[in-house]
Amino acid sequence: MSELEPADLDRADYRVVLHRLTTLDNRATGLREEAAAWYDDRVAAADTAVKDARAELEEARRAVREARRDLEQVDARAAGLWSDFVHRIGPAAERYGRNLPEASIPRQRAEERAAGDYLDEVENRVKYIPPARPITFATKVLFVILGLVGGGLGVAGNLLVRRTGEAAGGDWTQAAPVVALLVLLFFPILAVIVAKLIADRRGTGLDTAAVVTVLVTGLVTAGLLFTAVQVAQPA
């Protein structure tokens, strides 16, 4: 018999029963040891799983902190670029809003790129300065005309101040020649300033030659006209 059944106790010999009971006790001891080993294994596995979970949790928290720090840096840099863009473009940028718009990634770009890459691209576009266009012949003619006009206005202002001083008399008569000379020089210089504004609006670089052209034209025109007026006046 492999197992001891209750009905077997009536037919079994005492020694057989004792042997069977001893065998059952040994078997129970083995099962207890096996259960204890299985329990220890389960506890060790659970401890390992908890330890791994804690490590993953700490890594996730660290990643969250780094992500928040990166987000703050990206937002600060984006705000700075937007401020530069609005300052450079002016009122035309107000159609997008005075504040930094919501972040968005162009849909046509499927490649994975970091936020810094997009910000670098935006920074290059914001700071891009188109090359100055060369001064054309028509622009040079315009500068010469500005010089002529500046010289003419300088002479006209000079004569006006002189006549006003002569008519006023007193101290103004003594100061009128000095003021008239300043007026004579002011309008050629003003012509240079106007030429600079025109060049900036057209995206043309105003070099030294252009400045000299306007200024010299204005001064020469003023000198010639002033001389002609002095010669034409009766002695």
Side-chain angles (χ1 to χ4, degrees), residues 113-138:
R113 300 179 62 184
D117 296 335
Y118 288 103
L119 291 176
D120 291 339
E121 182 177 347
V122 172
E123 183 177 6
N124 292 333
R125 292 188 178 184
V126 170
K127 294 184 177 180
Y128 173 74
I129 300 177
R133 293 183 296 178
I135 300 177
T136 61
F137 178 76

Side-chain angles (χ1 to χ4, degrees), residues 1-4 15-31:
M1 291 185 299
S2 59
E3 297 293 340
L4 183 63
R15 289 176 297 177
V16 175
V17 173
L18 183 61
H19 176 71
R20 296 291 176 84
L21 291 176
T22 304
T23 303
L24 289 175
D25 184 64
N26 294 335
R27 184 178 179 186
T29 301
L31 291 175

Side-chain angles (χ1 to χ4, degrees), residues 69-138:
R69 184 169 56 252
D70 294 341
L71 178 60
E72 292 175 355
Q73 294 176 354
V74 169
D75 288 343
R77 186 179 177 189
L81 291 175
W82 179 253
S83 178
D84 294 341
F85 172 75
V86 173
H87 177 72
R88 183 173 182 179
I89 300 300
E94 293 183 357
R95 60 179 178 175
Y96 301 103
R98 294 182 178 272
N99 298 325
L100 180 65
E102 293 294 333
S104 61
I105 299 177
R107 295 183 178 180
Q108 67 270 19
R109 299 189 176 184
E111 71 273 12
E112 294 292 336
R113 300 179 62 184
D117 296 335
Y118 288 103
L119 291 176
D120 291 339
E121 182 177 347
V122 172
E123 183 177 6
N124 292 333
R125 292 188 178 184
V126 170
K127 294 184 177 180
Y128 173 74
I129 300 177
R133 293 183 296 178
I135 300 177
T136 61
F137 178 76

Side-chain angles (χ1 to χ4, degrees), residues 225-235:
L225 290 177
F226 182 77
T227 303
V229 171
Q230 294 296 324
V231 173
Q233 289 180 353

Side-chain angles (χ1 to χ4, degrees), residues 70-221:
D70 294 341
L71 178 60
E72 292 175 355
Q73 294 176 354
V74 169
D75 288 343
R77 186 179 177 189
L81 291 175
W82 179 253
S83 178
D84 294 341
F85 172 75
V86 173
H87 177 72
R88 183 173 182 179
I89 300 300
E94 293 183 357
R95 60 179 178 175
Y96 301 103
R98 294 182 178 272
N99 298 325
L100 180 65
E102 293 294 333
S104 61
I105 299 177
R107 295 183 178 180
Q108 67 270 19
R109 299 189 176 184
E111 71 273 12
E112 294 292 336
R113 300 179 62 184
D117 296 335
Y118 288 103
L119 291 176
D120 291 339
E121 182 177 347
V122 172
E123 183 177 6
N124 292 333
R125 292 188 178 184
V126 170
K127 294 184 177 180
Y128 173 74
I129 300 177
R133 293 183 296 178
I135 300 177
T136 61
F137 178 76
T139 305
K140 293 180 180 179
V141 173
L142 178 60
F143 288 165
V144 172
I145 294 174
L146 287 175
L148 294 175
V149 173
L153 292 177
V155 173
N158 179 279
L159 295 176
L160 180 62
V161 172
R162 285 178 177 273
R163 291 177 181 179
T164 302
E166 293 175 357
D171 295 337
W172 178 243
T173 303
Q174 301 297 326
V178 177
V179 177
L181 178 61
L182 294 177
V183 172
L184 182 66
L185 298 176
F186 171 74
F187 280 97
I189 296 175
L190 181 62
V192 175
I193 297 175
V194 174
K196 179 66 169 61
L197 295 176
I198 295 175
D200 292 342
R201 189 170 185 84
R202 295 187 176 184
T204 303
L206 190 64
D207 54 7
T208 304
V211 174
V212 171
T213 298
V214 178
L215 187 60
V216 170
T217 301
L219 293 177
V220 170
T221 301

